[in-house]
Amino acid sequence: MGMERLIALWCPGLLREGERGDEARAFLQVLVAAERFCPWVDPVSLGICTIPSRGPSRFFGGERAVVEKLAAAMGDLAVRHPAVGQVRVGAADGLFAALLAARSGLAVPRGETAAFLAPCSVAVLRRTELAVTLQRLGVHTLGQFAALPARDVLARFGADAGACHRVAGGDEGELVGLRDSGLRRRLETVRTDRADAGHPRQPGFFGGASAADARAAEAFARVQERLGAGAVVVGRLQGGRSPEERASLVPWGARGTTAPSGPSGRSRPGSSPAAAPWPGRLPVPSPTRVLGTPVELAVTDDTGRAVQVTARGLLDADPAAASIGGGPWQEVRGWAGPWPSTERWWSSRRRRARLQILTAAGALLVVAERGGWWVEALYE
């Protein structure tokens, strides 16, 4: 029995999901449009879906006709909903070849999968280490890789490479890692919110949805319907080191703002970038007020000399006095830190160090950068 014949849709502008969640909503539009041709649309990963070729081809008079009609429908969809962007359609035997065919907008004839795959780079296998090793050995294409003895590939590179070898030769149709197992759940949340017509369920304090939550959700949905998705925003924790970086405002209804991510509405530990390790991140408690524009600060030791941060991320003297924005000098009653961080090492390196300072006016979060000090946030 041969591999299943698949028609794939590839949306290059929707392959990565942003903070606003617009890509998932736009991709849902693609799925709905594709379901008019076949009810068995399979979302593979964000921006990629497939439909079985057999049924639609019989109904619409051939596979090529289905591909052309789908491409035309997706072109019309992109005009009505610009967020969808370009959608390419292709067909081939098996998921892997169908995705490559869609990227090129081709319908590969049945039985010609191996010939179609042969000139493709081994990089399309999405196995970086394997691809680099093969290229060093002079194996640059899938055809060259498929020509290697299967026993030697398995012995030299392991089971996963053996699976890649079978796919490269057109003997199998799917690679591990092509599918996003959590995509269906996320899309179902988006679909349910649309179907509820302004009645999405918002988790309460203990994971349920209270009457107040439901009323708020209904009001939010009405405002967004009239003024756009950006009219209602909510706070979201994200990865980062500074208080400003760790918080962002996203449209209500974006992924993670309308449904709990774990039992009882609690987030699963380690399930988000906010929970990942961030060297140089401040310990709890967090500041209560983050300044939109940092205020210049002067910090001196007990001799009146400006305090600096050394190349090793240490203070060259104990802070004794501070002046905020050129104002009166205040005694530094206590301090903690510094917490140094080096950011954007891959381009223009940025070195910063944060310090908590306690004065008579209150507790401050200050940052040192390029020989100067600034007040970044307040502990009120």
Side-chain angles (χ1 to χ4, degrees):
M1 183 176 179
M3 286 179 288
E4 183 180 17
R5 189 76 180 169
L6 295 174
I7 298 175
L9 289 81
W10 184 66
C11 315
L14 306 179
L15 298 177
R16 294 184 179 181
E17 188 166 7
E19 287 295 325
R20 297 170 60 90
D22 295 338
E23 294 79 8
R25 288 189 287 270
F27 186 47
L28 183 60
Q29 297 280 354
V30 174
L31 299 181
V32 171
E35 286 170 352
R36 298 172 185 169
F37 293 83
C38 176
W40 299 289
V41 179
D42 182 15
V44 176
S45 61
L46 188 63
I48 298 174
C49 64
T50 63
I51 63 175
S53 172
R54 184 176 180 181
S57 296
R58 288 182 174 181
F59 184 82
F60 290 101
E63 184 179 82
R64 185 172 296 276
V66 179
V67 171
E68 292 175 352
K69 289 180 180 295
L70 269 169
M74 295 304 154
D76 294 339
L77 177 65
V79 172
R80 299 194 308 271
H81 302 281
V84 169
Q86 184 184 35
V87 181
R88 296 182 181 178
V89 186
D93 300 325
L95 175 60
F96 179 74
L99 296 184
L100 293 181
R103 292 173 63 174
S104 303
L106 299 175
V108 180
R110 185 180 298 274
E112 297 185 13
T113 296
F116 166 69
L117 294 176
C120 296
S121 168
V122 291
V124 300
L125 293 171
R126 298 200 292 186
R127 304 294 195 273
T128 303
E129 185 176 351
L130 175 63
V132 170
T133 303
L134 289 174
Q135 289 169 349
R136 287 176 178 173
L137 296 173
V139 179
H140 299 279
T141 67
L142 295 184
Q144 292 173 327
F145 183 39
L148 298 177
R151 180 180 300 178
D152 293 345
V153 171
L154 187 62
R156 171 64 176 83
F157 300 107
D160 184 65
C164 292
H165 181 259
R166 294 189 294 273
V167 171
D171 298 320
E172 290 187 7
E174 184 168 343
L175 280 177
V176 174
L178 289 178
R179 297 183 180 274
D180 180 353
S181 59
L183 179 61
R184 286 183 178 272
R185 177 180 54 81
R186 300 203 304 273
L187 292 174
E188 190 58 33
T189 300
V190 177
R191 191 189 295 266
T192 301
D193 288 348
R194 290 183 59 200
D196 285 346
H199 297 277
R201 292 178 61 82
Q202 185 93 338
F205 287 107
F206 299 100
S210 66
D213 293 329
R215 288 194 300 270
E218 183 176 355
F220 292 165
R222 286 200 301 267
V223 172
Q224 287 183 320
E225 184 176 354
R226 292 187 179 185
L227 303 180
V232 180
V233 295
V234 295
R236 171 189 283 174
L237 284 177
Q238 60 185 17
R241 296 177 176 84
S242 70
E244 183 179 10
E245 292 172 345
R246 295 193 63 200
S248 65
L249 294 176
V250 298
W252 179 85
R255 186 176 67 170
T257 63
T258 60
S261 53
S264 302
R266 297 181 177 90
S267 299
R268 293 186 295 270
S271 62
S272 68
W278 288 88
R281 188 170 69 179
L282 295 173
V284 294
S286 299
T288 55
R289 180 185 171 193
V290 179
L291 303 182
T293 302
V295 179
E296 190 172 0
L297 177 75
V299 182
T300 63
D301 60 12
D302 53 8
T303 67
R305 186 179 63 86
V307 175
Q308 301 290 332
V309 178
T310 68
R312 300 181 60 184
L314 303 174
L315 296 181
D316 63 359
D318 292 344
S323 171
I324 303 174
W329 289 91
Q330 302 177 33
E331 178 189 1
V332 174
R333 298 180 177 178
W335 56 275
W339 289 274
S341 64
T342 301
E343 304 172 14
R344 295 191 291 229
W345 52 266
W346 60 90
S347 58
S348 56
R349 180 170 298 188
R350 185 177 187 182
R351 297 178 182 270
R352 291 189 288 183
R354 291 182 173 83
L355 191 71
Q356 293 171 330
I357 291 180
L358 177 63
T359 70
L364 313 173
L365 175 63
V366 302
V367 59
E369 184 176 10
R370 296 180 181 178
W373 291 92
W374 286 267
V375 179
E376 193 174 40
L378 309 176
Y379 296 88
E380 297 178 337

